[in-house]
Amino acid sequence: MQMLFHIPDPLAARFRQAVPPRQRSAFVAKLMEQALPEDDDPLYRLALEVERDAALNAEMREWREGLIADGIRGQEEAGGYADATR
């Protein structure tokens, strides 16, 4: 199967310099095999279930929204952190 990826030019240049032309597909396939989780990995399956859990996602969204409004991030967004020494 052929796939098309867009990567930053500096990374592409390093890739072309480091990996010979006839070995590039095997190199990328090996990296993907190492980086991607196995389908039968129990932790990966659990993570997928958590992502599909609508009630849990709603609760996590509430927490995220509550933490965003905690005042600390608000100071950051308002132009920097407040000086704690004042």
Side-chain angles (χ1 to χ4, degrees), residues 43-69:
L43 291 177
Y44 179 67
R45 285 188 190 187
L46 184 59
L48 290 177
E49 288 179 35
V50 167
E51 287 180 356
R52 289 189 291 256
D53 187 326
L56 180 59
N57 280 303
E59 182 179 345
M60 290 186 335
R61 190 171 24 262
E62 288 177 25
W63 274 96
R64 219 177 6 254
E65 290 169 1
L67 291 174
I68 287 173

Side-chain angles (χ1 to χ4, degrees), residues 12-84:
R14 287 177 43 210
F15 177 69
R16 285 185 172 157
Q17 183 177 10
V19 183
R22 297 262 177 217
Q23 296 176 16
R24 292 179 183 155
S25 291
F27 180 85
V28 171
K30 182 179 177 183
L31 289 177
M32 291 176 70
E33 185 67 37
Q34 292 172 352
L36 295 173
E38 295 289 330
D39 288 338
D40 62 347
D41 180 353
L43 291 177
Y44 179 67
R45 285 188 190 187
L46 184 59
L48 290 177
E49 288 179 35
V50 167
E51 287 180 356
R52 289 189 291 256
D53 187 326
L56 180 59
N57 280 303
E59 182 179 345
M60 290 186 335
R61 190 171 24 262
E62 288 177 25
W63 274 96
R64 219 177 6 254
E65 290 169 1
L67 291 174
I68 287 173
D70 67 0
I72 295 173
R73 184 163 287 176
Q75 292 170 354
E76 176 184 326
E77 292 172 358
Y81 295 99
D83 186 353

